[in-house]
Amino acid sequence: MEVPVQRNAEAAPAVAECGELADPAFWRQPPQARLDAFARLRALGSPVYVPEGRGRGHWALLRHAEVQEASRLPKVFASAPGVTTPEPARWVRALFGDSMVNLDGADHARLRKVVQRAFTPRLLAAAEADVHAVAARIVDDILAERPEEFVSAVSSRLPLEVICNMMGIPERYRPEIADRVNHASENIGVERGLASRLRMPGRGLRALARMQRMVAAIGRERRRNPGDDLISALVCANVDGQALGARQLGAFFSLLMVAGVETTRNAITHGLSLLTDHPDQRDLLLGDFEAYADGAVDEMIRHSTPIIQFRRTVVAEHELGGRLFLPGEKVVLYYASANRDEAVFPDPDAFDIARSPNPHLGFGGGGPHFCLGAHLARVEMKALFRELLTRPVGLRAVGLPDLAGSNFDNRVRSLRFAFEAPDGA
């Protein structure tokens, strides 16, 4: 049955409203309870209105096709003024600069072009070789030291070390950067009350400010003495005479550290938990790692969906999902729901490393904002799980992941793990 076009919530009383998506308590529920709610909302067959108070609200895009279409229409569904909830304040954007994820059109294309040109084949080849070396070193360390907490010992180390090596961050800065990344991201999406909003500028933004000052100082030094690292490539003019200024470099570095480190660490952590909970899939992967590893990585990303949602602002009239969207309205792309869409993924709650095809939206729905780090994240995950699973002493998760309860990312605060005893021990 064709869904009638709806103009707005006020003009269409029959429109489904779902306030629970704006309630912090919803995101503190067990993961399956949230997924069940998404399934009920997808079954309604049209976007759902989510009131946020004071007459404001957003339209939830929950189905795979809707999220994908909106992602590929940036002239209709704009990233500016911000993709997070709440949107960044004007003074924050003025102070720290606009992150690439919050830009549209020519501004976004120009910045992305500078960054893409900096990722030369030589730099990427060196980064991939480094990934394998770092993964092997991390597993050497845990086999020697036998820690019990996975996030700090394993999953956060790999992306942080790889990105710092690629950027050319001196060793003396790295412990503080790791600490600042945690402070900058620890409360994102966890609460939406006034108290939390007041705390975040005090702690999270101070952490971002310190990171940006560090990278600005490194950028100034690399302009004088460039090397083979990514910062040098970004701050030294390319053939078009384009380079990043200090504030642009700081904004990109913050994005790379918070987004690149956090998302990959969470995907890795969920991956270990999934393989522990599904021993048949672990055995399948171990039986022929090279044949199944790429599929396993993509299924880990689909199943866990590290970024739960991104926000968009409607800037042009457009019909989507049976509704006519009008300029000024807000929509939220719920990747966590789209990645469980029954119309695209048979038995969507199953963890199936042989799933094919697997057109998940874990790196976005396509379009100009498709994740720049998608390839590197896949390489990191594959390299680490090769080391974790094919060494003589295997690993397993112990208990459930300690989730942050964020409405923004599927963040794991900690996960206990143990070493499997050898046969006969």
Side-chain angles (χ1 to χ4, degrees):
M1 182 177 70
E2 184 176 353
V3 179
V5 173
Q6 302 158 352
R7 291 196 65 85
N8 54 51
E10 293 74 24
V15 166
E17 290 194 6
C18 181
E20 63 182 330
L21 296 185
D23 184 352
F26 176 82
W27 302 101
R28 293 193 294 268
Q29 294 183 101
Q32 192 58 51
R34 300 198 302 266
L35 293 172
D36 290 344
F38 283 139
R40 292 194 303 271
L41 295 172
R42 283 194 304 272
L44 297 175
S46 62
V48 175
Y49 185 71
V50 181
E52 295 176 346
R54 297 185 180 181
R56 299 179 180 179
H58 70 260
W59 290 90
L61 303 185
L62 299 154
R63 295 181 295 176
H64 190 280
E66 294 167 353
V67 172
Q68 192 170 59
E69 182 175 342
S71 300
R72 298 179 178 185
L73 292 173
K75 293 183 179 179
V76 175
F77 300 98
S79 296
V83 300
T84 56
T85 300
E87 295 167 357
R90 289 185 180 181
W91 70 267
V92 173
R93 296 169 59 200
L95 180 62
F96 291 95
D98 274 316
S99 173
M100 191 186 305
V101 296
N102 296 330
L103 293 174
D104 298 295
D107 291 336
H108 175 264
R110 183 163 48 249
L111 182 56
R112 192 173 176 110
K113 182 178 180 181
V114 174
V115 172
Q116 285 178 316
R117 288 205 171 184
F119 282 92
T120 62
R122 179 179 177 182
L123 186 145
L124 289 173
E128 289 198 24
D130 185 56
V131 166
H132 294 281
V134 173
R137 185 168 65 250
I138 288 172
V139 177
D140 286 342
D141 289 346
I142 64 170
L143 290 174
E145 299 166 9
R146 299 297 172 114
E148 297 181 349
E149 201 287 299
F150 188 72
V151 174
S152 58
V154 180
S155 61
S156 64
R157 275 189 62 187
L158 177 67
L160 182 71
E161 290 189 27
V162 167
I163 290 176
C164 283
N165 290 345
M166 183 172 62
M167 295 286 285
I169 304 295
E171 290 285 346
R172 65 182 182 276
Y173 290 120
R174 297 187 184 190
E176 184 171 358
I177 285 175
D179 185 57
R180 297 300 166 187
V181 168
N182 288 331
H183 288 335
S185 62
E186 64 184 345
N187 287 322
I188 297 176
V190 175
E191 295 181 9
R192 297 173 60 150
L194 178 60
S196 178
R197 294 186 187 186
L198 291 175
R199 281 199 303 272
M200 283 188 63
R203 186 171 184 176
L205 294 183
R206 276 201 303 270
L208 286 177
R210 288 184 66 88
M211 281 200 299
Q212 292 203 8
R213 285 198 296 271
M214 285 183 200
V215 77
I218 297 170
R220 288 192 295 270
E221 192 278 329
R222 298 294 159 77
R223 287 189 186 95
R224 295 190 297 268
N225 301 294
D228 293 330
D229 54 81
L230 182 56
I231 290 181
S232 296
L234 291 170
V235 301
C236 297
N238 59 31
V239 292
D240 294 331
Q242 295 181 316
L244 297 190
R247 195 168 66 158
Q248 289 176 316
L249 178 64
F252 175 70
F253 182 69
S254 298
L255 172 65
L256 195 61
M257 296 306 294
V258 175
V261 171
E262 288 286 308
T263 55
T264 305
R265 92 168 197 180
N266 290 327
I268 290 169
T269 308
H270 284 290
L272 179 65
S273 187
L274 285 165
L275 290 175
T276 301
D277 292 343
H278 299 85
D280 60 322
Q281 297 298 296
R282 178 180 175 134
D283 290 345
L284 184 62
L285 179 58
L286 277 171
D288 193 339
F289 186 86
E290 292 306 322
Y292 289 104
D294 291 334
V297 165
D298 274 322
E299 182 68 347
M300 290 172 188
I301 293 168
R302 182 196 73 86
H303 209 275
S304 64
T305 311
I307 296 295
I308 292 173
Q309 50 119 317
F310 267 158
R311 199 173 183 90
R312 295 288 189 267
T313 298
V314 181
V315 294
E317 196 171 288
H318 183 77
E319 182 184 341
L320 175 62
R323 184 178 186 279
L324 186 64
F325 286 93
L326 304 175
E329 293 182 327
K330 304 291 183 178
V331 302
V332 171
L333 317 181
Y334 283 92
Y335 305 113
S337 175
N339 278 344
R340 300 296 179 103
D341 190 339
E342 303 83 352
V344 177
F345 304 103
D347 195 7
D349 291 340
F351 176 64
D352 178 8
I353 67 170
R355 187 182 294 276
S356 181
N358 189 353
H360 69 80
L361 305 184
F363 294 116
H369 284 283
F370 186 79
C371 178
L372 270 172
H375 175 71
L376 181 62
R378 286 186 169 109
V379 170
E380 289 175 336
M381 292 179 66
K382 184 176 178 180
L384 183 60
F385 279 106
R386 180 187 288 108
E387 294 289 338
L388 289 173
L389 297 177
T390 60
R391 295 288 187 103
V393 181
L395 305 178
R396 59 180 173 83
V398 176
L400 298 175
D402 177 18
L403 301 178
S406 169
N407 67 3
F408 177 69
D409 61 350
N410 198 3
R411 194 178 325 140
V412 184
R413 291 193 178 105
S414 64
L415 176 67
R416 293 182 60 237
F417 76 108
F419 297 82
E420 296 176 339
D423 292 341

